[in-house]
Amino acid sequence: MRIIYLGNNWLGWKVLEWLVQQGEDIAGLVVHPPRKQKFGKEILETAQLPANRILDGSRLWESDVLETIRTLKPDICISILFGYIVRSNFLGIFPEGCINLHPAYLPYNRGAYPNVWSIIDRTPAGVTLHYIDAGIDTGDIIAQCQVAVEPVDTGKTLYHKLEQASLNLFRKTWPLVRDGKAQSISQSAEKGTYHHTQDVETIDEIIPDKLYRGQEVIDILRARTFPPYQGAYMIVNGRKIYLRLELLYEETLRG
């Protein structure tokens, strides 16, 4: 099966690395432009493709880029933490569809920062492999699993748990997809949540003289603890003070 691979970040690198190790046919690679790449060097080195088969993800809507992809005669597209929305004229190229690995337990936490909102909203955390449709993270679900959110989890620790669970789920499920044996189910239209990237701005400022429930402020602080990113803050004497939370089980502290 010939694959067009859309990837970014550590997870995008590791899934691609595994596919290459399995001997899968990576027909073309779509990456973020250099200024937006994460693990871009590792992804490019792993793919080992000529320059004419490496495409700029910010140009996927352009007719010449779409035509280049068509000439590669792909069967399926795999998208891993890809930061651009793909359109119907792109999706229509692939006879076996386009699949996406999303670090959320869909239909909960579609969109951005699922690791943050699973803590804030107390919605189920997990990972999902699904088909891409015209919506954002709304396509039919191929496979998914839940990930436990512990009281000591921060946005960073939960993110890394979701990364590893995503990699494990893909490795387990891809052979079924490749061999045409995967089943899928529609997502519920009655439930679920969605968040834009900028939604975290509504929770980031902690106002010192505002009344909060203890659990509410703890959840905000731990959800937004992800160094080196800035996260939650308060303003004192006109200056921002950023806040990070460390949480330890008693036995860990004793150890």
Side-chain angles (χ1 to χ4, degrees):
M1 183 176 286
R2 288 176 63 77
I3 299 165
I4 295 294
Y5 190 84
L6 284 57
N8 197 47
N9 221 310
W10 179 88
L11 181 60
W13 170 38
K14 286 300 175 181
V15 170
L16 177 62
E17 183 179 63
W18 183 80
L19 287 168
V20 170
Q21 290 169 353
Q22 302 307 301
E24 301 293 353
D25 184 1
I26 309 299
L29 178 67
V30 183
V31 294
H32 289 195
R35 69 185 184 280
K36 297 185 68 175
Q37 286 179 9
K38 295 180 179 179
F39 288 84
K41 179 175 179 287
E42 291 85 349
I43 289 171
L44 291 168
E45 289 179 351
T46 298
Q48 289 292 300
L49 293 177
N52 64 341
R53 291 165 61 187
I54 299 171
L55 304 168
D56 183 344
S58 67
R59 299 179 55 216
L60 273 186
W61 57 273
E62 296 179 13
S63 58
D64 60 329
V65 175
L66 294 173
E67 185 56 33
T68 297
I69 294 173
R70 289 189 189 95
T71 63
L72 296 173
K73 302 187 183 303
D75 299 299
I76 194 168
C77 168
I78 298 174
S79 172
I80 311 291
L81 296 185
F82 190 67
Y84 294 92
I85 296 173
V86 296
R87 303 180 183 180
S88 58
N89 54 355
F90 173 84
L91 296 174
I93 294 174
F94 305 95
E96 301 299 325
C98 190
I99 62 175
N100 179 55
L101 188 58
H102 185 58
Y105 194 73
L106 296 176
Y108 300 102
N109 300 310
R110 299 178 178 119
Y113 301 135
N115 57 315
V116 170
W117 296 107
S118 286
I119 294 173
I120 297 295
D121 295 338
R122 296 188 166 257
T123 45
V127 298
T128 303
L129 185 67
H130 68 96
Y131 287 105
I132 298 178
D133 62 9
I136 297 177
D137 303 324
T138 55
D140 290 356
I141 293 171
I142 302 167
Q144 60 183 170
C145 67
Q146 284 192 253
V147 171
V149 181
E150 297 183 71
V152 295
D153 271 322
T154 63
K156 184 171 187 175
T157 63
L158 181 56
Y159 180 87
H160 290 309
K161 286 166 68 171
L162 294 171
E163 275 190 321
Q164 190 59 54
S166 295
L167 183 58
N168 294 342
L169 182 71
F170 188 88
R171 288 171 172 172
K172 178 181 177 181
T173 310
W174 168 250
L176 297 174
V177 176
R178 179 196 58 209
D179 297 341
K181 297 178 180 179
Q183 303 293 315
S184 63
I185 59 171
S186 298
Q187 290 193 45
S188 170
E190 287 75 38
K191 62 181 181 179
T193 57
Y194 174 83
H195 290 284
H196 295 279
T197 301
Q198 63 269 28
D199 285 355
V200 292
E201 296 173 9
T202 66
I203 62 170
D204 274 353
E205 183 177 1
I206 304 296
I207 301 171
D209 59 358
K210 178 181 175 180
L211 291 178
Y212 293 86
R213 290 178 58 250
Q215 190 64 61
E216 179 185 3
V217 72
I218 289 171
D219 283 347
I220 293 172
L221 292 178
R222 71 190 185 105
R224 297 297 285 141
T225 293
F226 199 143
Y229 302 107
Q230 294 174 334
Y233 64 91
M234 62 182 179
I235 299 177
V236 178
N237 298 326
R239 299 180 68 186
K240 279 187 178 180
I241 300 174
Y242 286 93
L243 309 168
R244 293 173 180 169
L245 196 60
E246 182 180 31
L247 303 106
L248 302 169
Y249 285 118
E250 181 181 9
E251 56 269 29
T252 303
L253 186 60
R254 286 177 175 173

